[in-house]
Amino acid sequence: MSNNWPRPEPSLVTVWVLARRELHDALRSRWFALDTLAFVLLGLAVAFVSGSGTGEGLAGFGRTTAGLVNLVTLIVPLMALTAGAGSIAAERERGMLPYLLSQPVSRWEVLAGKWLGLSLALSTAILLGFGVCAMAVAWRGGTSQGASQLLLLAGLSVALAIGLLGVGMVISVVSRRTSVATGLAVFTWLLFAFATDLGLMASTLTWRLTIQSIFAACLVNPLQAFKLWALDAAGIPLDVLGPVGQYAVDHHAHSLAWLAAGSLAAWAIGPGVIAAIAFSRRAAA
Amino acid sequence: MILFGLVVLAALEASPSVQAGWSDLAALVAQAQPGDVVRVPAGDYRGVVTIDKPLTLEGVGRPVIHGFGKGDLLLITAPDVTVRGFDLEGTGDDLDQENCAIRVLAPRAVIEDNRLEDVLFGIDLRGAPDSVVRGNSIGGKPLDIARRGDGLRLWKSDRARVEGNTIHDGRDAVLWYSEGVEVRGNLVKDCRYGFHLMYSHGVRIERNELRGNSVGIYLMYSDTVDLKDNVIAACRGASGFGIGLKEVSDYRIERNLIRDNCVGIYMDSAPFRKGQAEIRANALVCNDSAMHVLPNVKGNTIVDNAFIDNLSGIVPLGRGDLYANAFDRDGAGNFWSDYAGYDEDGDGIGEWVHEPMPLFGRLVEQEPKLAILRFSPAEQVVEFVARALPAMRPDPLFIDENPRTRPGDEVALAWRAGREAGAGESEEGGRGALWAAAALLVAAALASSGGIQ
């Protein structure tokens, strides 16, 4: 460890103190304000534009839900990745990291505290966004949109955000500057949101992938895992998603939620551990 | 002594009241003279009862005919029989025997106001022309779909009328080799095929509601069919077609509301022969695909329809386009909710043509497995690329020269009818729950922010 002071044992109390500080900082930061605003505005737009009032009440499943799923898979990972990427790198750039680590706290506690604080901040932004969206839908009234669907979707979006926060923190730990970290985060987001799907599309067309392997590939991608989970949980018939969706219905009707949750959990834990290891090996400044 | 033993055994087999009732009904039929009106008092009766002379059997206080899970219930072998006001329960479940609640083997039967529950086949008209099936409720057995029977079946029964019946949880409602049949105001739900026509010409199907079946209405090998003012919803699964057309000729499909199906209208060799083939003023709403069309489909007039919020619009299966079909007539086409143009002179007709060229849709058609990427950002990227790069742009599937910028008046009628029909589908009362959800979400947000530190 980097300092020689006698320290108390690593404790959850310390983590909680650090998390509160992180949350406090995050709620006052510009990224949080902008993210929340963007999420709320886009959610409103989806609520109002989906079905544009015409299909209202006639869709068997909520087009608003489908639109929100689309929005969430795009925006939430970007929020989570950039938030995570800013965490350690920003402290380092401002010269705060050596100061922080000179306190009687372990690196593990610092990282865990930041992760927890950012998770709470992201949850706040997402839940607020969904809350406003729910109000908008209720105010418009008379849609086929279930309240429970929105609650579910909000919960799953929080899970998606937490699932990708660890990846952002890996980026943050290995980056020396905030700008580099943010750039890497955006690049990673592009990979997750577009490149993997386009790659899957190309390989499906080129190599005639089997339905099972496409399903597996979708589950590995946290965004697709979230999408499958969210559509399924919202009661949208997965045969909308063609043969692979039908396969999911036929063979994984009961396990789909667990598989998707497992995927997101793996993405939350794996990169989190990597971030912790990388952080413990790097110099503070 | 032996004789006495048999009687005791028979008495043990059937419950006493049933045994009493059973002999009653057969006796009533036996005693009656042709042309009589037999009033059957309330009570429990046992099938099968054969009606072999022209009679009117009228249930007073809803007598019940039981089958106890074996055989048929009512067999009508004479013409001009009327059966009204009975409850029929529990046929056998033998598909080979086609166990049936009411089987009619003679012309001019009237089957009215009966309630059939737990039946394999419901009402089976075999060679019963000029019959009427009206206001019955037919409920199938809770079996796997392949082991169910047909709720309603017409076989060589010309000019039959099927009106105001409710059929649920059966296999199909079948109209085969029956000409000039009129089907009005029925509700068919949770079956396999709503109405299935084969070799039945001159049929009119109007104001029916078909919900939650695998296929709504399948028209096969039939000529001169009118499909009007029906509501066809929630046909899902591998062959989830709202309306299927196969080798049909001379048809008019008008003012139907077709919503929330996997495929709104599926077309194969339609029209089979040249002639009238009109699909007009229908509302196709929120289907996965509005229409699937095979390459052999030519000569349709598809006008005045409203295509609203379908995931895919009209999809040609197999390679090809739809240029051999007309999408406008007399300067007016269809309404497309994904129309990208505008109406400058305010005449309700867009100034740009509507020529859909979905690249992602084309890719999905080429490789259906790609549909897994629906609702994901990659889908939009592909469509964006198709618009931005002319080299990637697929040819348009068809061109609507005069797209409407608002749905036509007749579509609005179909619409209103459909909304009324679907009113019972539990959409009300969601508003309060939504406000509650909003409050809950905001509260959760505040909680996770630590009460705004």
Side-chain angles (χ1 to χ4, degrees), chain B residues 136-138 140 145 148-152 162-175 183-196 205 207-217 230-235 242:
Chain B
N136 302 286
S137 155
I138 304 169
I145 197 87
R148 293 186 198 164
D150 299 332
L152 174 71
V162 179
E163 293 173 350
N165 302 284
T166 299
I167 307 175
H168 64 91
D169 298 298
R171 188 172 63 185
D172 307 341
V174 170
L175 286 77
V183 181
R184 286 210 181 84
N186 302 281
L187 167 66
V188 184
K189 59 179 182 179
D190 304 323
C191 297
R192 187 175 67 177
Y193 286 14
F195 291 109
H196 186 193
I205 302 182
R207 296 195 309 278
N208 301 283
E209 185 183 347
L210 301 113
R211 187 158 18 99
N213 307 292
S214 176
V215 175
I217 301 175
N230 300 286
V231 177
I232 306 172
C235 297

Side-chain angles (χ1 to χ4, degrees), chain A residues 58 63 124 138 209 227 240, chain B residues 259 309 369 372 374 448:
Chain A
L58 288 174
R63 289 296 151 118
T124 306
L209 296 181
K227 185 190 83 180
V240 168
Chain B
R259 68 167 176 100
D309 292 345
K369 292 173 202 161
I372 191 73
R374 266 185 188 151
S448 77

Side-chain angles (χ1 to χ4, degrees), chain B residues 145-367:
Chain B
I145 197 87
R147 295 187 50 221
R148 293 186 198 164
D150 299 332
L152 174 71
R153 180 192 266 189
L154 271 64
W155 173 272
K156 296 203 169 173
S157 299
D158 296 347
R159 301 172 301 282
R161 295 220 306 260
V162 179
E163 293 173 350
N165 302 284
T166 299
I167 307 175
H168 64 91
D169 298 298
R171 188 172 63 185
D172 307 341
V174 170
L175 286 77
W176 287 4
Y177 303 100
S178 301
E179 300 195 4
V181 174
E182 302 197 352
V183 181
R184 286 210 181 84
N186 302 281
L187 167 66
V188 184
K189 59 179 182 179
D190 304 323
C191 297
R192 187 175 67 177
Y193 286 14
F195 291 109
H196 186 193
L197 267 69
M198 287 237 231
Y199 307 101
S200 292
H201 311 307
V203 174
R204 302 172 70 89
I205 302 182
E206 296 176 347
R207 296 195 309 278
N208 301 283
E209 185 183 347
L210 301 113
R211 187 158 18 99
N213 307 292
S214 176
V215 175
I217 301 175
Y218 217 137
L219 310 178
M220 292 183 179
Y221 323 115
S222 303
D223 292 350
T224 318
V225 184
D226 274 16
L227 235 61
K228 280 188 192 162
D229 301 310
N230 300 286
V231 177
I232 306 172
C235 297
R236 307 219 58 98
S239 59
F241 308 149
I243 298 174
L245 302 175
K246 183 174 172 57
E247 299 188 15
V248 216
S249 309
D250 185 23
Y251 49 83
R252 283 153 61 90
I253 299 177
E254 280 185 319
R255 290 195 304 267
N256 301 286
L257 172 61
I258 303 164
R259 68 167 176 100
D260 189 30
N261 308 290
C262 279
V263 178
I265 303 179
Y266 171 85
M267 301 180 80
D268 177 7
S269 291
F272 190 53
R273 281 185 298 281
K274 276 193 177 174
Q276 190 182 47
E278 275 197 17
I279 299 179
R280 61 172 294 275
N282 300 284
L284 291 109
V285 188
C286 294
N287 302 287
D288 297 2
S289 300
M291 293 173 73
H292 274 185
V293 179
L294 287 173
N296 54 16
V297 170
K298 297 184 170 92
N300 288 281
T301 306
I302 301 171
V303 292
D304 293 349
N305 301 289
F307 293 84
I308 297 169
D309 292 345
N310 302 290
L311 291 182
S312 307
I314 303 187
V315 181
L317 297 182
R319 293 177 179 256
D321 54 53
L322 301 162
Y323 289 114
N325 301 282
F327 286 88
D328 64 335
R329 183 169 61 189
D330 306 331
N334 301 277
F335 172 80
W336 312 89
S337 65
D338 58 344
Y339 175 56
Y342 63 97
D343 178 16
E344 191 177 296
D345 49 12
D347 62 351
I349 303 294
E351 309 307 328
W352 293 359
V353 299
H354 179 67
E355 41 177 2
M357 35 193 156
L359 183 54
F360 186 77
R362 277 287 166 101
L363 288 172
V364 168
E365 175 206 327
Q366 196 182 335
E367 177 50 270

Side-chain angles (χ1 to χ4, degrees), chain B residues 57-72:
Chain B
L57 234 58
E58 203 165 293
V60 180
R62 301 214 75 83
V64 187
I65 303 179
H66 298 272
F68 299 106
K70 284 205 181 69
D72 305 335

